[in-house]
Amino acid sequence: MLRFLTGGESHGKCLVAILEGMVAGLGLKEQDINAELARRQEGYGRGGRMTIEKDEAEILSGVRRGQTLGGPIALVIANKDFKINELPVVKRPRPGHADLVGVMKYGREDVRDILERASARETTARVAVGAICRLFLAEFGVDIASHVVAIGGVRANTSGLSFERIQEASRRSPVHCADKAAEKKMMARIDGARASRDTIGGVFEVVAKGAPVGLGSFVHYDRRLNARLCAAVMSIQAVKGVEVGLGFETAARPGRQVHDEIFYDKKKGFYRKTNNAGGFEGGVTNGEPIVLRAATKPYSTLMSPLRSVHIDTKRKESATVERSDVTAVPACGVIGEAMVAFELAQSFLEKFGGDSLGETKRNFKGYLNQIGKI
Ligand code: EPS
């Protein structure tokens, strides 16, 4: 079973992660992880923290001479902005953040004790784990991309663009958007939000191509891979909605405008001309690209704060103002990729098993043979 845990606070010494269950024999270097960490730091609209940090992972265990050993892979990423014990006490919870529910639930008197762990800074560790999962998936021809499709109500038009085009264009864009015209408007929208001391959310899309038919299962709710992917993406700080393929739009269309008709070609095997299902039928991958979209709310630290209540005096006060981001939707896309990478790697190992990359590959090949793909 592939699993991971993360530890660390936003302004603590460091973030840590342990990935357990990864096969032996996978090539892994720190720079593979660092390239993904750098992508997570990008994005027009981010706050001052990203100019302080230069996230870099150190591999502490599970790797020798550039290859995984099959044991737990322990990672550490230092926080350059480490000052947890010097930070001021926080008494005015921010609406929308974990602040108030956290102090009530954990019996704390300082909101700082909550926000430090609830912070999206934790996603640095997730992206590091996801980077390893990506390398594993690449061995089986799976690649993952993300792009921003909306920010603050400005929508991109990327219909008809190939996976490669989306990946390449979004990687070059300051807002990770593959539509140049929308990119400009999104940046103007972010400037506007910053000027009015507000925050904005948006929608990002994650696409995974190359997954074989048959990952996940319809036999139990918790084996439906589409559901697991949605839960994983929903767990990203600030995400409020996730959809697969056409998603909510399917509810408004008749069946013949939704379902992807089936074709057969000697070379390609079974295939579809459309992908409204977003790569899933019955919670199982159908060989088409996996497409997920997620909506993030605007971040809850507003420079012009909302009304709140002091947790000790119970008096009306405005919420705490902390350094934060105007928007972080581009970074959320990268985190979404990491979560999708982890879930896909996990389902790969569930289906094909193996303690070494060679063993998993043999099993994978045998399966492709069974379904007539080789
Ligand atoms: C983040 C680091 C944080 C925030 C943001 C994400 O750094 P700081 O709080 O020191 O500015 O920029 O976290 C939040 C928006 C949040 O709600 O906690 C990061 O590394 O991504």
Side-chain angles (χ1 to χ4, degrees):
M1 185 176 122
L2 190 68
R3 53 189 170 155
F4 77 94
L5 279 177
T6 72
E9 284 81 40
S10 183
H11 302 92
K13 246 189 178 161
C14 55
L15 297 157
V16 295
I18 297 182
L19 176 65
E20 201 268 330
M22 181 47 75
V23 294
L26 177 71
L28 175 60
K29 293 186 227 75
E30 283 169 355
Q31 69 207 51
D32 298 322
I33 301 173
N34 295 341
E36 291 301 305
L37 294 181
R39 291 180 62 223
R40 195 202 73 94
Q41 287 202 264
E42 293 170 354
Y44 193 75
R46 300 215 68 186
R49 181 73 181 270
M50 291 305 107
T51 58
I52 300 170
E53 303 295 342
K54 188 177 183 296
D55 294 332
E56 279 175 347
E58 189 186 344
I59 300 172
L60 299 182
S61 75
V63 178
R64 188 162 173 263
R65 293 183 171 154
Q67 288 213 340
T68 57
L69 303 174
I73 302 169
L75 305 167
V76 61
I77 302 140
N79 279 326
K80 289 203 162 67
D81 202 17
F82 163 50
K83 53 183 176 196
I84 198 160
N85 296 322
E86 298 161 24
L87 290 166
V89 167
V90 177
K91 292 286 185 183
R92 296 166 293 134
R94 290 159 296 176
H97 211 279
D99 297 355
L100 181 59
V101 292
V103 283
M104 292 172 79
K105 177 176 167 65
Y106 286 93
R108 308 303 299 172
E109 283 163 10
D110 181 357
V111 172
R112 171 81 46 209
D113 293 347
I114 306 306
L115 69 88
E116 283 293 327
R117 178 62 188 165
S119 166
R121 177 87 192 130
E122 180 263 342
T123 60
T124 312
R126 298 203 221 181
V127 169
V129 165
I132 303 172
C133 297
R134 285 181 89 105
L135 291 174
F136 170 75
L137 292 168
E139 295 286 339
F140 302 89
V142 179
D143 196 5
I144 304 170
S146 71
H147 62 125
V148 169
V149 294
I151 287 186
V154 177
R155 282 173 208 288
N157 180 3
T158 54
S159 62
L161 292 188
S162 68
F163 175 91
E164 289 71 23
R165 180 83 193 100
I166 282 175
Q167 187 171 47
E168 190 238 339
S170 67
R171 281 185 182 225
R172 276 192 286 106
S173 162
V175 282
H176 294 187
C177 176
D179 173 353
K180 269 270 166 223
E183 170 191 292
K184 295 264 165 327
K185 288 186 200 146
M186 285 175 183
M187 288 166 79
R189 184 78 188 79
I190 293 167
D191 290 340
R194 193 189 296 279
S196 56
R197 303 167 68 77
D198 214 333
T199 57
I200 44 176
V203 180
F204 64 87
E205 183 174 87
V206 180
V207 186
K209 65 150 207 194
V213 173
L215 296 178
S217 178
F218 44 82
V219 304
H220 263 128
Y221 76 95
D222 56 355
R223 292 185 58 195
R224 288 181 177 261
L225 184 56
N226 57 348
R228 276 160 51 171
L229 286 172
C230 286
V233 172
M234 192 74 168
S235 76
I236 300 168
Q237 289 83 339
V239 169
K240 289 303 250 184
V242 188
E243 60 180 9
V244 179
L246 258 193
F248 275 69
E249 174 63 25
T250 57
R253 294 194 188 183
R256 69 178 57 253
Q257 285 175 32
V258 170
H259 301 297
D260 307 305
E261 291 179 305
I262 302 170
F263 300 90
Y264 185 81
D265 177 283
K266 265 204 178 141
K267 254 199 192 150
K268 283 200 239 174
F270 296 104
Y271 73 97
R272 322 294 172 111
K273 292 182 182 171
T274 52
N275 184 25
N276 292 334
F280 284 100
E281 283 166 309
V284 180
T285 52
N286 66 1
E288 297 299 322
I290 294 168
V291 183
L292 283 128
R293 264 181 307 283
T296 82
K297 65 183 177 184
Y299 269 0
S300 36
T301 308
L302 271 64
M303 293 304 135
S304 164
L306 297 171
R307 286 178 290 183
S308 185
V309 174
H310 191 290
I311 56 169
D312 295 343
T313 65
K314 311 290 186 296
R315 280 208 197 101
K316 284 189 215 165
E317 287 199 34
S318 50
T320 301
V321 177
E322 292 241 332
R323 177 185 61 200
S324 192
D325 308 309
V326 176
T327 194
V329 192
C332 283
V334 179
I335 304 157
E337 287 179 49
M339 294 312 290
V340 168
F342 170 74
E343 290 294 331
L344 285 183
Q346 190 186 55
S347 72
F348 246 83
L349 284 169
E350 274 169 21
K351 177 145 182 64
F352 303 113
D355 294 306
S356 68
L357 185 60
E359 188 182 0
T360 312
K361 279 192 170 174
R362 269 199 310 281
N363 298 343
F364 179 65
K365 242 180 151 179
Y367 173 72
L368 292 188
N369 212 6
Q370 174 198 312
I371 61 170
K373 282 278 183 184
I374 48 174

